[in-house]
Amino acid sequence: MRKSMEVKAVFFDIDGTLVNDSRTVLKSTEAAIKSLKEQGILVGLATGRGPFFVKPFMEQLDLDFAVTYNGQYIFSKDRVISATPIDKQSLRDLIAYSKKYRKEISFGTAEAMQGSKIMTFGMSSFSQWASQLIPKKMARTVSRGFNSVIGKALPQQEKELLQLIQEPIYQVLILADPAESQKIEADFPHLKFTRSSPYAADIINQDMSKLEGIRRVGKEYGFDINQVMAFGDSDNDLEMLSGVGLSIAMGNGTSSVKKVAKHTTSSNSQDGIHRALEHFGILASEKVFVSSDHHFNKVKTFHGVMDECTQEEPIAWTPEDARHRADFKLEELVEFLRAASRSEAEFDQSISRMHQALDKAATKVRSKREAEVSLVGQVDALIDTLYFTYGSFVLMGVDPERIFDIVHQANMGKIFPDGKAHFDLVTHKILKPDDWEEKYAPEPAIKRELERQIQAYAQRNKNQDK
């Protein structure tokens, strides 16, 4: 597919996006990032995680920059681009609040996330792995029980927290579900609350976000926010996905994310990043797009050999070429009527009815719209004919899967030993090799397949009667 915009930079969220459920980067994602960089497209991260967590990904994937702590701390391979700590008074107020209401709290520095023992454990690789083993229905109960035990055994010390905030703090995490964090937010209107977890809220400066972080990177590297493609899955990605030029929601993302994104791809464990880049024609290695419809791909292979090229950019048929395609389809419809006629007289009657139906259809279509060459109109009509064809098979009780393969093999059998299609010099119709009837004629194979389906139906009925 063609690109609808010039993409100069691509940003990935980490959790639930760049990494799969096993906390690793898929091989397909690594290949996609390599392809992006070979094209000269800048690649970075936009995450609620801190720089200490992000640096291994930067090195592993050779990334250009990272927007961390939801925009509060931004760096490249060799320097800090922007660092925006939270003011000390706000931090002291948050500590006082956490003490008063017994809320676990942690502080993000450039080097670590420190404070709550519960939250430190919760962000560990062991905790992340263990949480996958707990059924979702029990997650909240297990979490509260664990927090209660750890909270009593290792209570937060106000003195230690006040000591921590002597150095720059770029993000605060407070253990609170969405309803609780709304109440806390009301007491701190000058700060911004966002979240990538159902258990904790991220607190940053009011004027910061992943989107603002990306905008700042763009000023440094010479790209506009509309030239950015971004991937995300959580609610702290909403502002980013709403503001960039091309936004992609992961299949495992929240409903809110999918609502604002321009496109939803497959999940973080099902090659979602690679598929989205492929879908928009951004992968340099994908000169020929591949559909998820394997029937389409087989026909495309046939035309690739026949025409010695394939059409990669969506275009409308010209009037002359559209007539040729319609002629092919009309001949097959006449064959369909012939195969549904018990006599020549009945066949003639069917053909007469077809002429009447054609005139009636022309009158109906004329009344709908003015004549014009329209890609949308052509695709709409063709997909309806495809749908009607499947509907006909449904009403016949015939499974077309193997029959399609038989026809595809028959068509590929028209390719001559030199690997090319040969055409009649006068009629321009495709010629068939001398042994085509013997090896590839589809009718005998179709007959055998239909007999198999009829026998399978009889056997199923027989088994049900037992």
Side-chain angles (χ1 to χ4, degrees):
M1 285 189 169
R2 64 184 174 189
K3 304 175 194 177
S4 57
M5 54 169 271
E6 181 185 13
V7 175
K8 287 192 173 182
V10 178
F11 285 83
F12 302 105
D13 170 50
I14 296 180
D15 299 288
T17 301
L18 181 71
V19 299
N20 62 12
D21 295 341
S22 299
R23 316 292 299 169
T24 58
V25 180
L26 297 176
K27 294 295 183 184
S28 65
T29 300
E30 290 187 4
I33 290 174
K34 182 180 179 182
S35 177
L36 290 174
K37 293 185 67 63
E38 287 172 351
Q39 294 179 71
I41 296 175
L42 298 166
V43 185
L45 300 172
T47 177
R49 295 280 195 170
F52 54 89
F53 183 89
V54 165
K55 285 177 181 177
F57 293 105
M58 295 277 288
E59 295 170 3
Q60 174 190 347
L61 302 171
D62 190 28
L63 302 179
D64 297 294
F65 34 66
V67 174
T68 68
Y69 283 144
N70 292 302
Q72 297 273 105
Y73 191 99
I74 308 166
F75 66 101
S76 65
K77 294 177 180 178
D78 54 6
R79 65 191 176 91
V80 175
I81 296 173
S82 174
T84 313
I86 300 172
D87 70 275
K88 300 298 182 185
Q89 185 57 54
S90 293
L91 295 173
R92 285 192 288 268
D93 291 343
L94 285 166
I95 291 173
Y97 186 98
S98 69
K99 180 182 179 183
K100 180 178 180 180
Y101 294 100
R102 301 179 66 183
K103 305 299 297 183
E104 293 289 324
I105 194 168
S106 283
F107 300 102
T109 70
E111 304 300 329
M113 180 63 69
Q114 297 174 289
S116 167
K117 303 297 188 296
I118 292 174
M119 299 176 80
T120 301
F121 178 82
M123 289 183 289
S124 68
S125 57
F126 173 79
S127 175
Q128 297 286 336
W129 171 80
S131 66
Q132 297 177 40
L133 306 179
I134 301 170
K136 290 185 177 180
K137 292 181 179 179
M138 297 177 60
R140 188 175 299 277
T141 301
V142 172
S143 174
R144 285 178 175 172
F146 173 82
N147 293 347
S148 177
V149 172
I150 298 297
K152 290 177 181 178
L154 299 168
Q156 290 190 123
Q157 299 296 326
E158 183 180 10
K159 185 177 179 180
E160 292 179 6
L161 295 176
L162 290 170
Q163 183 62 37
L164 286 175
I165 66 171
Q166 295 308 304
E167 59 180 305
I169 301 298
Y170 300 100
Q171 180 168 271
V172 178
L173 262 64
I174 190 163
L175 200 62
D177 62 30
E180 290 173 326
S181 64
Q182 283 184 356
K183 295 178 182 177
I184 304 169
E185 188 173 357
D187 289 333
F188 295 89
H190 60 292
L191 296 175
K192 178 182 284 187
F193 285 64
T194 183
R195 62 193 312 122
S196 57
S197 163
Y199 307 113
D202 303 343
I203 306 173
I204 58 176
N205 290 320
Q206 184 62 253
D207 58 346
M208 288 307 300
S209 65
K210 289 185 179 183
L211 182 64
E212 176 58 27
I214 291 172
R215 189 177 283 112
R216 293 187 181 189
V217 174
K219 288 180 180 178
E220 291 286 324
Y221 285 81
F223 60 82
D224 186 80
I225 200 74
N226 292 320
Q227 296 171 316
V228 171
M229 183 181 194
F231 290 75
D233 72 299
S234 299
D235 287 355
N236 70 338
D237 297 317
L238 289 173
E239 191 171 346
M240 173 179 73
L241 296 180
S242 299
V244 299
L246 185 55
S247 51
I248 311 297
M250 303 304 292
N252 53 285
T254 66
S255 58
S256 300
V257 165
K258 292 176 181 177
K259 188 177 294 184
V260 303
K262 291 182 174 66
H263 176 74
T264 297
T265 185
S266 52
S267 78
N268 60 328
S269 297
Q270 297 177 316
D271 304 316
I273 288 173
H274 190 282
R275 290 186 181 186
L277 291 167
E278 182 182 73
H279 176 81
F280 286 101
I282 296 172
L283 290 186
S285 59
E286 302 296 335
K287 295 179 180 178
V288 177
F289 79 85
V290 178
S291 172
S292 57
D293 182 344
H294 62 283
H295 288 158
F296 173 90
N297 292 332
K298 288 175 182 176
V299 177
K300 186 170 186 175
T301 299
F302 171 68
H303 279 281
V305 177
M306 265 191 58
D307 306 331
E308 297 185 339
C309 67
T310 54
Q311 180 62 39
E312 300 307 307
E313 178 184 11
I315 60 171
W317 288 97
T318 64
E320 182 179 0
D321 288 338
R323 285 193 288 271
H324 286 310
R325 299 305 300 180
D327 287 346
F328 296 151
K329 293 180 179 66
L330 186 61
E331 182 178 342
E332 300 305 326
L333 288 175
V334 170
E335 284 195 17
F336 174 72
L337 292 177
R338 181 76 172 180
S341 300
R342 289 165 293 194
S343 66
E344 291 296 329
E346 197 164 43
F347 178 56
D348 290 340
Q349 184 181 8
S350 294
I351 295 299
S352 178
R353 286 280 299 276
M354 178 180 277
H355 281 293
Q356 294 172 19
L358 183 61
D359 292 337
K360 182 179 179 181
T363 300
K364 180 180 179 181
V365 171
R366 280 195 184 97
S367 68
K368 286 184 174 181
R369 63 180 69 89
E370 294 292 325
E372 64 172 344
V373 175
S374 167
L375 175 62
V376 173
Q378 290 180 14
V379 170
D380 180 56
L382 289 172
I383 203 68
D384 282 344
T385 62
L386 183 62
Y387 202 94
F388 278 127
T389 300
Y390 272 110
S392 297
F393 279 122
V394 169
L395 297 174
M396 293 171 75
V398 172
D399 181 354
E401 180 76 18
R402 295 190 186 183
I403 296 171
F404 187 97
D405 288 341
I406 291 168
V407 172
H408 175 64
Q409 289 170 7
N411 285 332
M412 292 301 291
K414 295 175 184 177
I415 307 304
F416 279 70
D418 62 1
K420 297 181 179 180
H422 293 187
F423 299 88
D424 187 285
L425 295 177
V426 178
T427 64
H428 301 292
K429 287 187 175 182
I430 189 170
L431 298 174
K432 301 171 183 175
D434 292 338
D435 61 352
W436 185 85
E437 288 289 342
E438 178 185 351
K439 290 184 176 179
Y440 300 107
E443 287 83 359
I446 290 174
K447 181 181 179 181
R448 289 193 296 272
E449 170 58 17
L450 289 174
E451 289 173 347
R452 184 197 67 78
Q453 291 189 25
I454 291 169
Q455 290 173 1
Y457 170 77
Q459 185 63 44
R460 287 197 301 271
N461 275 357
K462 184 178 179 181
N463 291 339
Q464 289 176 359
D465 291 340
K466 289 182 178 179

